[in-house]
Amino acid sequence: MEITNNTVVGLTYELKVSREADEIESAPFSVEVRDEDDPFYFLFGNSGLPEKFEELLAGKKQGESFSFTLLAAEAYGEADDEMIMAIPKAQFTSERGFEEGMLDEGNFLPLMDENGYPMQAKVLKDLGEEVLLDFNHPLVGFDLHFEGEVMEVREATAEELSHGHVHGEHGHQH
């Protein structure tokens, strides 16, 4: 079976990133490895991943390898200053699941949007009564270099299609 819309895809890969700064590109460095013990599964065509990522995987079959680069503009784009916000520290209470040290600079805070979907923000600076958070995607501004293999391709179930995500061992548990 080949990767098409509404298939569940399982990948193993290494993701390296690089950034162009003042016309000098940094050497790619590894930021994520998904191996056979922890493959990455997603619903093709409904993943929320960059469009170009899915486009370059379309038509591949189980066992096929892949190697491609997404330029920052094809991936998560450039940083948006409007995604950097000062939030009152009073919103990050222990009653809401926040612990001491979570607001330290450089940490990523696990948050939820207004619809209950998980999201994260990077703590940029402690401003006293407020904390400066960056809600941009962590890979914004980077070129993404993927090298890996298609581990599995299968038809999505009706339930997966109606929920919009993968269920079971490698997906969402309800």
Side-chain angles (χ1 to χ4, degrees):
M1 171 173 275
E2 70 180 37
I3 298 174
T4 59
N5 275 347
N6 300 327
T7 56
V8 171
V9 179
L11 305 176
T12 57
Y13 62 81
E14 179 176 15
L15 169 59
K16 295 180 179 180
V17 299
S18 62
R19 183 187 305 240
E20 192 175 303
D22 299 324
E23 299 177 20
I24 299 170
E25 185 163 331
S26 66
F29 59 94
S30 184
V31 295
E32 182 179 37
V33 174
R34 299 298 291 261
D35 59 18
E36 293 83 6
D37 294 331
D38 184 29
F40 174 66
Y41 278 81
F42 65 98
L43 183 58
F44 193 85
N46 194 22
S47 66
L49 296 167
E51 194 175 308
K52 187 73 171 180
F53 178 82
E54 287 195 349
E55 183 183 308
L56 293 168
L57 289 172
K60 296 211 175 292
K61 296 180 171 98
Q62 184 171 325
E64 277 192 64
S65 60
F66 57 88
S67 180
F68 56 79
T69 296
L70 299 181
L71 300 177
E74 301 168 317
Y76 294 101
E78 297 299 327
D80 180 351
D81 289 343
E82 291 185 16
M83 299 294 286
I84 298 174
M85 301 171 205
I87 308 290
K89 281 186 184 176
Q91 291 190 14
F92 302 100
T93 63
S94 58
E95 292 79 32
R96 292 184 173 174
F98 294 96
E99 300 170 7
E100 191 174 330
M102 289 179 84
L103 295 179
D104 292 347
E105 291 179 19
N107 284 348
F108 283 91
L109 293 177
L111 303 170
M112 287 197 182
D113 69 11
E114 60 275 0
N115 297 317
Y117 291 105
M119 61 184 290
Q120 63 181 7
K122 183 177 183 180
V123 179
L124 296 180
K125 189 162 184 65
D126 184 332
L127 301 173
E129 294 296 312
E130 295 180 319
V131 62
L132 190 62
L133 300 179
D134 184 351
F135 288 90
N136 283 292
H137 190 283
L139 295 175
V140 75
F142 286 99
D143 294 339
L144 311 181
H145 309 270
F146 288 92
E147 191 169 326
E149 183 177 316
V150 179
M151 274 193 57
E152 184 180 356
V153 182
R154 67 169 173 79
E155 287 292 333
T157 66
E159 185 179 38
E160 288 170 325
L161 292 174
S162 72
H163 287 198
H165 55 250
V166 179
H167 288 178
E169 180 183 357
H170 301 288
H172 192 80
Q173 309 295 328
H174 288 280

